[in-house]
Amino acid sequence: MGQSKSPGAGVVGYHAVGILKKQSETGTHGLWTAVLGRLLQDKLALLGLGIILVMVTAAVFAPYFAPNDPFKVDLMQRLLPPQAQYPLGTDHLGRCLLSRLFYGSRSSLTTAALALTAIMLISIPFGTLAGYCGGQVDNILMRIVDVLLAFPGLVLALVIAGILGPGLLNVMLAVAAVRWVGYARVIRVTVLSVKEKEFVSAARACGTSGLGIIIRHILPNVLSPVIILATLDIGRLIIAISSLSFLGLGAQPPVPEWGAMLNDGRSYMQVAPQLMIYPGLAIMTVALAFNLLGDGLRDALDPRGTVRL
Amino acid sequence: MGRYLLKRFLYLIPIMLGVSIITFALINLAPGDPAELILQADGMELTREAVEALREELGLNDPFYVRYGRWLWNVCRLDLGESFRTGRPVTEEIFYRLPATIELTFAALVFMVIVALPAGILSALYRHTLIDHLNRLWALLGASLPGFWLGLMLIYLFAVRLGLLPVMGRGSLHHLVLPAVTLGFGMAAVYTRILRASMLEALGQEYIRVARAKGLKEKWVIGRHALKNALLPAVTLLGMSFGHLLGGAAIVETIFAWPGVGKFAVDSIFNRDYPVIQGYALFMAVVFVLANLMVDLSYVSLDPRIRLERGK
């Protein structure tokens, strides 16, 4: 699966070089102003950004927006259709669906953000080390990557989550353990091309240490491909996490989480289809929003649209 | 070509060794003592002596490399241990369910080709028209739609509401439709975009102009010349997609109660049936690696440029 095949590696490398060229022409600061300008003209990307902001607001202020207590069980009020007190109806334990959706956005967004953080924490040092050191270090690190890529991603995540045992944190770890690999490859290729730049040679000639060069000159240049990747990937992260949650490996009752809510709701498909319609719609909307924003960001930073994991 | 083949095969050895180390090491992440689990599964009393005796018997007290070596030796003889739950050999359990998973995966691939091929070609030929815009919308939705939700919605619509198709299980062709569509949907959207892009690129090439200038009929120009070249990028990605399908199959099989390897693995996870989980991971990696190898080889034989370059 490794370097010998992966069609993406060369493409990403090309892409990274393209971005670097742009950065060196305009300076990092100028690049981001230009990107923001282009993004503001992209209506779909703005729509995505808008949806994300609304969702984040909903998650942060869930206690204010939620019409009812999301944990309050009332078996007399179970499986109610939408009505004034319960705008989207109630679930099999008589809990308010809308309130649970609001609180669920907290679990889903936080888990995805944590997973992304974990991915960065592994992939940035790993990719930088491989790209900067080169030689045998690079060789060994990349063989590790090849081995991990030999597993179908979701299969490995499923197995890791399954072995660690149910829990949202374990699902987050499992997804991060699988997905960091793609980031590490992109970062490595970017570092490989940055370290050949003149400003790196100049810094080295000035006596800057290896670590200093990495922190001051290389990492800032790794930023933009990583941001594109992360934005494009977060929708997939949310879907992957909610898939595992749907299987019962993630959030445990009574914690509201969209994937787990779908799993609870599916048994009541015939009597209360809203229980599985709305959580799924919520997952799709967030994923769609991030994809729209990611597409826009990629178009703005990389018009050829060549970056992919 | 022969040397390339040999290199490709030799490269598999370190990869598969790595895969086996990871698969073996994973089980050590499990909370709790395997010996205790086995005793519990057998309904035995958990005394310290019994656990210690079983640990010794299973060789759990040996160092990691000894245990790994022993396990690897067994794996090479296709012995993946026995399921805690059924007591039957894991290989047997997996092989027994493999046909169902293969059937589902291929059906999803067929669905993908049936949809993506015409959609991608039409999108390229009628660029910036309604068809193209609809396809773009679909691609966006396809990338954002969680597969498990699509599956549930399809069940709700076609099985519960309309009563047209069976809800779960495996049997007739009717049973295959919903799971295959669920599994293939997202990927069909991706391939439509890929085919559209490569079709547009192919149509812009010189040889297309030559073919048209020769006065060839448009359907020949598109079918013989453009499409043939446009298919190549899609074929390279098929290997990777196969991995997505294998992973997605676990979820789709669970939703539709499809008696395949994926559902078996998910069930085993909840029963903490570690030999099965381990066997599943290893098995899927082997299938995935071999599928990629096949795609690579077919790609090499499809594209003479690569054949020559790599044959050197």
Side-chain angles (χ1 to χ4, degrees):
Chain A
M1 314 306 67
Q3 284 176 312
S4 59
K5 85 166 294 285
S6 65
V11 175
V12 169
Y14 179 83
H15 150 83
V17 174
I19 287 184
L20 289 176
K21 203 184 278 167
K22 242 178 278 161
Q23 273 180 353
S24 55
E25 280 160 9
T26 55
T28 311
H29 188 70
L31 174 84
W32 288 108
T33 323
V35 165
L36 198 67
R38 254 173 285 173
L39 255 191
L40 287 176
Q41 283 167 9
D42 187 339
K43 288 195 189 101
L44 282 176
L46 284 182
L47 176 69
L49 188 63
I51 296 174
I52 294 167
L53 289 178
V54 170
M55 287 280 186
V56 171
T57 316
V60 173
F61 298 103
Y64 299 97
F65 290 125
N68 296 290
D69 179 355
F71 298 101
K72 189 172 159 269
V73 174
D74 185 352
L75 292 178
M76 300 300 286
Q77 308 281 330
R78 64 199 297 264
L79 302 176
L80 290 179
Q83 51 191 264
Q85 203 200 335
Y86 304 107
L88 295 179
T90 58
D91 71 0
H92 61 295
L93 295 176
R95 296 172 298 194
C96 171
L97 180 62
L98 183 63
S99 306
R100 288 183 72 73
L101 280 178
F102 273 123
Y103 277 85
S105 62
R106 287 182 160 185
S107 321
S108 298
L109 293 177
T110 324
T111 324
L114 281 175
L116 202 59
T117 315
I119 289 173
M120 297 295 168
L121 285 178
I122 316 171
S123 65
I124 293 179
F126 194 97
T128 313
L129 203 64
Y132 189 77
C133 296
Q136 272 315 95
V137 177
D138 183 29
N139 218 349
I140 293 171
L141 293 182
M142 282 303 111
R143 289 300 82 74
I144 297 177
V145 164
D146 285 351
V147 168
L148 282 172
L149 286 175
F151 290 94
L154 195 57
V155 167
L156 191 58
L158 181 69
V159 166
I160 295 178
I163 290 177
L164 289 175
L168 214 44
L169 189 69
N170 289 343
V171 162
M172 187 275 299
L173 285 175
V175 171
V178 172
R179 295 208 72 99
W180 68 272
V181 185
Y183 289 72
R185 285 171 75 182
V186 174
I187 292 166
R188 169 183 171 269
V189 175
T190 316
V191 172
L192 274 178
S193 63
V194 181
K195 77 168 179 184
E196 302 303 326
K197 296 277 174 217
E198 279 170 9
F199 58 81
V200 174
S201 318
R204 198 169 289 136
C206 292
T208 316
S209 67
L211 195 64
I213 290 176
I214 288 177
I215 291 173
R216 235 168 300 155
H217 301 287
I218 292 190
L219 285 185
N221 285 301
V222 169
L223 208 64
S224 56
V226 166
I227 287 177
I228 301 183
L229 273 186
T231 322
L232 279 171
D233 200 38
I234 204 159
R236 267 178 288 184
L237 279 177
I238 290 174
I239 291 179
I241 291 169
S242 59
S243 303
L244 293 175
S245 231
F246 169 75
L247 289 176
L249 288 168
Q252 297 302 303
V255 177
E257 194 273 348
W258 294 336
M261 286 166 69
L262 251 169
N263 192 24
D264 288 340
R266 71 168 159 159
S267 323
Y268 306 96
M269 191 184 280
Q270 300 202 5
V271 277
Q274 72 271 15
L275 288 182
M276 60 162 213
I277 293 177
Y278 292 115
L281 215 52
I283 300 171
M284 195 180 84
T285 313
V286 180
L288 188 69
F290 276 106
N291 285 337
L292 286 174
L293 181 65
D295 276 349
L297 209 55
R298 185 180 52 189
D299 290 345
L301 269 167
D302 165 40
R304 287 180 64 95
T306 44
V307 75
R308 62 169 80 98
L309 275 179
Chain B
M1 182 75 188
R3 264 189 67 186
Y4 172 68
L5 265 177
L6 188 69
K7 249 174 83 180
R8 206 60 188 76
F9 272 112
L10 286 181
Y11 188 67
L12 283 185
I13 297 173
I15 294 292
M16 288 324 294
L17 267 179
V19 163
S20 71
I21 292 177
I22 290 186
T23 315
F24 182 73
L26 272 178
I27 251 26
N28 290 308
L29 289 176
D33 185 344
E36 284 180 18
L37 276 177
I38 295 175
L39 287 177
Q40 267 170 354
D42 291 347
M44 308 269 276
E45 203 182 336
L46 281 181
T47 62
R48 187 177 292 174
E49 290 77 27
V51 172
E52 197 44 46
L54 189 61
R55 280 188 68 85
E56 199 56 49
E57 188 192 323
L58 293 172
L60 290 172
N61 292 332
D62 294 334
F64 181 84
Y65 64 91
V66 175
R67 282 181 287 140
Y68 168 69
R70 195 163 42 215
W71 177 79
L72 188 64
W73 172 241
N74 286 333
V75 167
C76 291
R77 294 182 302 152
L78 281 180
D79 176 5
L80 291 170
E82 281 158 12
S83 158
F84 288 171
R85 190 161 41 125
T86 64
R88 289 170 53 194
V90 173
T91 14
E92 204 176 285
E93 296 276 12
I94 289 180
F95 277 117
Y96 175 67
R97 290 170 174 84
L98 200 58
T101 298
I102 291 178
E103 183 184 311
L104 176 61
T105 316
F106 269 90
L109 271 178
V110 169
F111 169 76
M112 186 201 92
V113 171
I114 292 177
V115 175
L117 204 59
I121 296 173
L122 287 176
S123 225
L125 292 181
Y126 301 98
R127 187 150 63 132
H128 302 317
T129 63
L130 185 65
I131 297 181
D132 193 21
H133 294 316
L134 283 178
N135 270 330
R136 170 137 199 242
L137 184 73
W138 178 50
L140 208 55
L141 282 179
S144 316
L145 196 69
F148 55 95
W149 189 53
L150 176 69
L152 291 179
M153 298 305 282
L154 288 176
I155 291 181
Y156 179 65
L157 191 66
F158 289 99
V160 176
R161 278 273 134 142
L162 301 174
L164 288 176
L165 291 163
V167 181
M168 30 196 63
R170 179 177 177 226
S172 66
L173 208 57
H174 286 107
H175 286 86
L176 192 56
V177 178
L178 291 183
V181 171
T182 307
L183 189 55
F185 185 87
M187 204 156 293
V190 173
Y191 276 87
T192 304
R193 294 312 285 176
I194 294 170
L195 274 172
R196 175 186 180 274
S198 56
M199 214 33 209
L200 281 174
E201 196 176 328
L203 283 172
Q205 299 289 327
E206 292 278 307
Y207 55 77
I208 295 293
R209 211 176 310 161
V210 172
R212 282 193 179 133
K214 273 199 310 198
L216 272 186
K217 279 197 186 124
E218 192 62 17
K219 67 174 179 193
W220 283 103
V221 174
I222 291 162
R224 290 283 300 259
H225 295 271
L227 185 61
K228 216 172 139 191
N229 286 288
L231 281 178
L232 281 173
V235 172
T236 17
L237 290 172
L238 267 185
M240 284 286 153
S241 306
F242 196 69
H244 290 287
L245 288 178
L246 287 177
I251 292 168
V252 174
E253 285 175 4
T254 307
I255 297 175
F256 290 93
W258 188 263
V261 183
K263 180 177 186 315
F264 184 55
V266 173
D267 291 344
S268 302
I269 282 174
F270 288 105
N271 290 301
R272 308 228 303 183
D273 194 345
Y274 293 124
V276 174
I277 303 174
Q278 206 172 23
Y280 169 71
L282 188 69
F283 208 82
M284 287 298 124
V286 171
V287 172
F288 185 37
V289 166
L290 291 182
N292 264 299
L293 182 69
M294 271 169 14
V295 167
D296 260 22
L297 297 184
S298 67
Y299 188 63
V300 171
S301 58
L302 269 176
D303 191 343
R305 284 169 297 190
I306 296 176
R307 194 159 59 218
L308 290 174
E309 191 186 317
R310 290 194 178 158
K312 270 183 219 161

